[in-house]
Amino acid sequence: TRTPVNVTVTGAAGQIGYALLFRIASGHLLGADVPVKLRLLEIPQGLKAAEGTAMELDDCAFPLLQGIEITDDPNVGFDGANVALLVGARPRTKGMERGDLLSANGGIFKPQGKAINDNAADDIKVLVVGNPANTNALIAQAAAPDVPAERFTAMTRLDHNRALSQLAKKTGAPVSDIKRLTIWGNHSATQYPDIFHAEIAGKNAAEVVGDEQWLADTFIPTVAKRGAAIIEARGASSAASAANAAIDHVHTWVNGTAAGDWTSMGIPSDGSYGVPEGLISSFPVTCKDGKYEIVQGLDVNEFSRARIDASVQELKEERDAVRELGLI
Ligand code: NAI
């Protein structure tokens, strides 16, 4: 029998948490043969609801679920953690300035980064879902100097999946025929979904679409503003699709990308494609044996360059702001 993997989920009592925990416990995060132990980290006000969710997890009698622990202490929550999904964050409320948002989240992600540094297992892998995800990941990473920086990642997989789906709709191709799509930059309205290197059943996607106007005026804004469209329609922000993307992100990181394909992950830049080193920005990556690598050597055309640069500029500004606030 395999030793269980310790998976910590923050914000476990929230709506993404509710959509996420059952899929982790049923084997979708790591594999159908990998037992898991769950740690649910919440703030004191969220503990009771997290206990309710844990009761329901018990009631599923998942064969792979070997234990659930609930805590509001990050040092306990991350003790021995192999995978950490940082979902709980401070949302932007009406009238909140960016500086206020960043400092409120710094108050969450800096101590959590330190607790990961001090308590997590040596092979810890971190995915930040809570927004602003890229910069929250940077704050946590900076607070964890003993953990290799590349273990801190931010989620752009939901954007990636949204882009796949929009492209499938436009071309009539099944999602499974689409490969090598890329989300560049920040998980925000400035993100750039790039189809110039994507393939649809082996043909170049931009050529199959053959409509740069659709790219600029429909595809890119639809993907980038999809979160707001979901709120408008559902009356609540995306939860099941966000949880699904978190599952996909970690599953791919651990189990690898398919031959000939890649995925998108927010990761600390090594300077590739002109993205300043250390910024947590989305790149095309391949994964193998629990490690990822940036896809190198892609030709970046003018259309793409301008959009990547704009999103990276926003990431730089967020980094400078959290630096000024003393959060990194
Ligand atoms: P929610 O408000 O339903 O749940 C958040 C939970 O986090 C609450 O239960 C709260 O008590 C908890 N929490 C707050 N501070 C905490 C702390 N310091 N430690 C532990 N738990 C804490 O929010 P929801 O819908 O589950 O979304 C969570 C985050 O995910 C938000 O920041 C949202 O913007 C983000 N998100 C990111 C996406 C992405 O693609 N990267 C997509 C969708 C949402």
Side-chain angles (χ1 to χ4, degrees):
T1 56
R2 296 182 61 160
T3 35
V5 175
N6 295 322
V7 180
T8 302
V9 177
T10 77
Q15 53 154 4
I16 294 177
Y18 193 73
L20 182 61
L21 290 163
F22 296 85
R23 296 193 60 202
I24 300 173
S26 60
H28 290 90
L29 186 76
L30 300 165
D33 56 348
V34 185
V36 292
K37 279 191 175 168
L38 281 172
R39 294 261 174 65
L40 315 188
L41 180 64
E42 259 293 346
I43 49 177
Q45 307 90 285
L47 287 176
K48 186 149 183 256
E51 271 159 29
T53 304
M55 288 162 70
E56 284 201 78
L57 283 162
D58 280 343
D59 294 350
C60 294
F62 287 121
L64 292 172
L65 183 57
Q66 297 204 349
I68 311 172
E69 207 176 313
I70 304 167
T71 179
D72 61 1
D73 178 349
N75 287 319
V76 175
F78 294 114
D79 186 30
N82 305 106
V83 176
L85 302 171
L86 310 190
V87 179
R90 175 75 161 77
R92 189 192 285 262
T93 40
K94 226 177 161 189
M96 206 177 193
E97 300 291 333
R98 184 174 67 174
D100 301 333
L101 180 74
L102 292 172
S103 62
N105 278 293
I108 295 174
F109 287 87
K110 194 174 175 178
Q112 288 184 358
K114 183 167 189 327
I116 288 169
N117 190 68
D118 296 348
N119 300 281
D122 286 344
D123 68 348
I124 179 71
K125 286 181 165 65
V126 181
L127 168 62
V128 176
V129 174
N131 282 318
N134 299 55
T135 297
N136 287 341
L138 180 67
I139 293 168
Q141 181 266 313
D146 303 332
V147 178
E150 76 263 14
R151 307 287 188 74
F152 285 83
T153 68
M155 189 166 93
T156 53
R157 186 63 172 265
L158 179 54
D159 310 301
H160 183 98
N161 288 344
R162 285 166 171 167
L164 278 176
S165 172
Q166 292 300 321
L167 189 55
K169 271 206 180 127
K170 168 76 175 171
T171 59
V175 162
S176 55
D177 275 1
I178 306 178
K179 310 251 179 297
R180 303 187 173 203
L181 197 134
T182 306
I183 303 294
W184 298 92
N186 200 2
H187 168 70
S188 76
T190 67
Q191 66 173 274
Y192 171 49
D194 175 3
I195 70 163
F196 286 101
H197 303 284
E199 289 177 359
I200 304 180
K203 295 199 187 85
N204 180 272
E207 281 165 26
V208 172
V209 169
D211 185 352
E212 200 159 288
Q213 188 109 42
W214 175 79
L215 266 193
D217 298 345
T218 304
F219 175 72
I220 295 171
T222 300
V223 173
K225 294 179 191 160
R226 186 72 167 178
I230 301 279
I231 293 176
E232 177 64 31
R234 204 174 86 87
S237 60
S238 24
S241 55
N244 178 68
I247 296 273
D248 282 352
H249 176 114
V250 173
H251 190 274
T252 303
W253 188 359
V254 171
N255 294 302
T257 40
D261 201 3
W262 66 61
T263 190
S264 305
M265 287 169 71
I267 56 171
S269 176
D270 62 357
S272 293
Y273 297 102
V275 182
E277 209 179 324
L279 279 187
I280 299 198
S281 186
S282 189
F283 285 97
V285 299
T286 54
C287 301
K288 195 176 176 235
D289 301 327
K291 295 200 168 77
Y292 59 79
E293 260 179 48
I294 296 175
V295 176
Q296 294 296 341
L298 299 177
D299 222 22
V300 176
N301 64 19
E302 237 174 87
F303 184 96
S304 298
R305 188 73 262 170
R307 287 167 172 81
I308 295 171
D309 288 350
S311 196
V312 168
Q313 180 58 33
E314 182 184 50
L315 284 171
K316 279 195 226 165
E317 288 167 14
E318 288 182 15
R319 179 196 56 194
D320 293 347
V322 295
R323 198 174 266 160
E324 246 168 64
L325 291 163
L327 295 169
I328 60 169

